[in-house]
Amino acid sequence: MPADRGPRFDTLAVVGSYDHEEALAHQGAVCEPAYLSPSQHFASSDHMRAVLLGQAPGWTYGRLDNPTVAQLEATIARLDAYGSDVPVTTTAFSSGMAAIFMTTTALLADDPERPRPNVVLPAACYGGTYMLFTQRFAVDRGVELRWVRDALDLQQWADAIDELTRFAFCEVPSNPHLRMTDIPALAEIAHSRGVPLVVDATLPSPALLRPLTMGADIVVHSVSKAMSASGMSIAGAVSSRADIVCTHRRREMRADFAGFLKRGPRRDTGVVLSPFNAFVTSADLRGLRARMETMSRSALRVAKTLAAHSFVEEVFYPGLEGDPGHAIAERDLVLVDSEVETGVPVNAYGYMLSLRPRGGEVAACAFLDALRLVWRANDLGRVKSTATIPSIATHSQLSRAEKALADVPPDLVRISIGCEHVDDILEDLEQALNAANGAAS
Ligand SMILES: *Cc1c(COP(=O)(O)O)cnc(C)c1O
């Protein structure tokens, strides 16, 4: 890296866009104030006119913009662009699903020259995303969904993407199977047909993966997860690189996709992030890298222990050598700035893993019921460890056939490893596996 590389990841996460000068303009407060006011007072009619015309800085009204939300957006943009010179803009939304909905809806806008739009994505994705695509787009609007069965198989993507494809979409790694996708190679395939690549990078967060620096056009985050790890808020964000690959007629949308969402669709629909949630999230974001390091290290130990356990059928974790996506995970899931301390990049494979306990659905339920430290809950990436059974929770709305398509068997347990001491987590999982084994035999 060049010497003039600018502040490192941790510094950006801690400082955000609030520096000494900003602090002096706010009574010297070291921590940025939270602006909960819904509207801005103007000095004069001239001032009001100038702000509304975009000729002077300002935010006007909380549905359009807010200083506290804008600070979070500026910080996430810098983290998503980190280590590259890719120009990145970020817009925050009320949830991860709002971010995904607003992104995909804009890309699916009517275009008389390209009727019968299709989108290409793996069926093995987050349950909320699956429902959005099947119900809101396929059923309600007649959008053709082209499912990719194996997100690692580039030929399947290449066969499915054509000139009527509005975007290719993938989660890396996917929820709940932790499947990898080769982002640079997929971006090349999509771009060769003029199609943008949208990546849901919720699980790794910018501390482990920054798809915009690897060829992706748009990144969506559920900021509710690893980025707001203390678990006090729900939030979403869309980050985009300048001049995305896209044949949409609106030039403004291609030039600054996330900025366009902020100035147009977010304002017109009101799916803005609340300033209070932005404030809580900004505070959480400060310790992101250290948290991801601890949680990933613990998760790798848990995955290895479970994979060798006689009461466990199968473990899914990209950090395991036998995992089909391991080679790509080794290349792409790297703890940011790890080479600064050790001279070599260090892999961190994330905090999520899934397993199938021996004994089928009965054992999976008994395992979940026996947990004493790990919470039976459906969020992830937080400081508190959680476990769930996707087929009865995150994917409960899917039919039996859809669960088969999305590869969500009834005995699959998903675990998100938090910041408790790993030995305490392992003890809890061990006693729960014993209980599961007793219930199944
Ligand atoms: C949770 C999650 C979402 C949805 O985010 P919300 O903030 O709950 O709306 C989307 N994608 C992935 C991968 C998730 O884990």
Side-chain angles (χ1 to χ4, degrees):
M1 290 237 178
D4 62 345
R5 43 167 292 155
R8 300 189 197 290
F9 190 90
D10 279 340
T11 308
L12 291 175
V14 168
V15 174
S17 61
Y18 188 77
D19 56 15
H20 289 193
E21 215 169 297
E22 280 262 325
L24 290 173
H26 295 94
Q27 316 267 350
V30 171
C31 295
E32 47 272 67
Y35 289 92
L36 303 181
S37 170
S39 63
Q40 175 186 8
H41 167 67
F42 298 99
S44 64
S45 57
D46 278 347
H47 183 209
M48 184 184 278
R49 188 180 298 110
V51 169
L52 279 144
L53 287 172
Q55 293 162 352
W59 51 278
T60 306
Y61 181 59
R63 180 159 46 74
L64 281 56
D65 209 347
N66 168 280
T68 303
V69 174
Q71 263 168 4
L72 175 67
E73 292 170 336
T75 306
I76 293 176
R78 295 176 84 178
L79 300 184
D80 269 332
Y82 185 72
S84 76
D85 50 14
V86 175
V88 173
T89 316
T90 298
T91 297
F93 292 89
S94 50
S95 70
M97 286 319 302
I100 296 173
F101 176 72
M102 297 306 283
T103 296
T104 50
T105 299
L107 293 171
L108 281 165
D110 285 345
D111 181 350
E113 280 169 30
R114 292 193 307 156
R116 302 187 323 287
N118 72 71
V119 299
V120 178
L121 76 158
C125 61
Y126 175 68
T129 304
Y130 185 92
M131 295 312 286
L132 170 69
F133 280 95
T134 51
Q135 297 305 310
R136 302 288 79 79
F137 293 142
V139 175
D140 291 355
R141 294 186 47 190
V143 174
E144 180 191 346
L145 305 179
R146 296 186 177 171
W147 299 119
V148 169
R149 295 306 298 261
D150 178 358
L152 275 169
D153 183 351
L154 293 168
Q155 193 57 48
Q156 291 187 19
W157 291 97
D159 291 343
I161 299 171
D162 62 22
E163 60 285 348
L164 292 180
T165 301
R166 293 300 181 85
F167 57 88
F169 182 98
C170 63
E171 286 167 14
V172 184
S174 69
N175 177 357
H177 271 287
L178 294 314
R179 297 248 167 70
M180 296 298 296
T181 298
D182 188 336
I183 295 172
L186 176 55
E188 213 172 292
I189 292 170
H191 292 171
S192 71
R193 291 152 171 109
V195 171
L197 173 61
V198 183
V199 177
D200 180 336
T202 295
L203 264 50
S205 89
L208 304 189
L209 188 78
R210 293 171 300 287
L212 297 178
T213 70
M214 302 163 69
D217 299 274
I218 299 166
V219 160
V220 290
H221 297 287
S222 170
V223 182
S224 324
K225 310 291 172 57
M227 290 203 229
S228 27
S230 64
M232 302 293 182
S233 74
I234 285 192
V238 175
S239 295
S240 64
R241 54 186 295 148
D243 298 316
I244 62 167
V245 173
C246 181
T247 51
H248 194 279
R249 286 167 300 162
R250 235 189 211 114
R251 206 197 61 80
E252 182 198 2
M253 185 172 118
R254 299 193 308 267
D256 175 10
F257 184 78
F260 162 76
L261 291 184
K262 180 181 199 161
R263 290 183 294 272
R266 190 182 74 174
R267 175 200 63 198
D268 302 336
T269 56
V271 287
V272 67
L273 181 63
S274 102
F276 184 77
N277 282 5
F279 177 69
V280 173
T281 299
S282 288
D284 271 344
L285 210 48
R286 300 197 165 112
L288 178 64
R289 194 184 87 101
R291 244 174 13 240
M292 291 299 282
E293 183 178 15
T294 303
M295 285 154 59
S296 297
R297 196 184 323 114
S298 297
L300 181 60
R301 234 187 97 191
V302 170
K304 283 185 173 165
T305 306
L306 293 177
H309 201 289
S310 55
F311 296 164
V312 174
E313 203 77 59
E314 206 174 3
V315 175
F316 304 90
Y317 187 66
L320 293 176
E321 261 157 44
D323 188 275
H326 183 64
I328 289 176
E330 233 180 349
R331 184 192 70 189
D332 293 350
L333 296 180
V334 175
L335 180 68
V336 66
D337 285 343
S338 53
E339 77 286 356
V340 175
E341 284 138 36
T342 60
V344 286
V346 176
N347 283 121
Y349 298 103
Y351 47 82
M352 277 260 292
L353 57 103
S354 290
L355 75 145
R356 291 175 46 239
R358 185 146 294 172
E361 196 174 349
V362 172
C365 292
F367 173 79
L368 197 79
D369 294 343
L371 293 170
R372 294 175 192 152
L373 173 69
V374 176
W375 301 82
R376 285 173 284 278
N378 290 304
D379 65 354
L380 54 98
R382 315 273 204 178
V383 289
K384 299 193 178 195
S385 295
T386 58
T388 185
I389 297 178
S391 84
I392 60 168
T394 54
H395 290 70
S396 61
Q397 298 124 308
L398 276 63
S399 69
R400 194 182 281 266
E402 287 175 317
K403 282 178 189 168
L405 177 72
D407 197 11
V408 183
D411 61 346
L412 188 76
V413 180
R414 190 191 78 185
I415 304 180
S416 172
I417 302 296
C419 287
E420 305 93 341
H421 195 282
V422 64
D423 290 343
D424 294 325
I425 298 171
L426 281 168
E427 268 172 34
D428 191 32
L429 299 178
E430 175 71 38
Q431 65 81 23
L433 277 174
N434 287 335
N437 191 53
S441 53

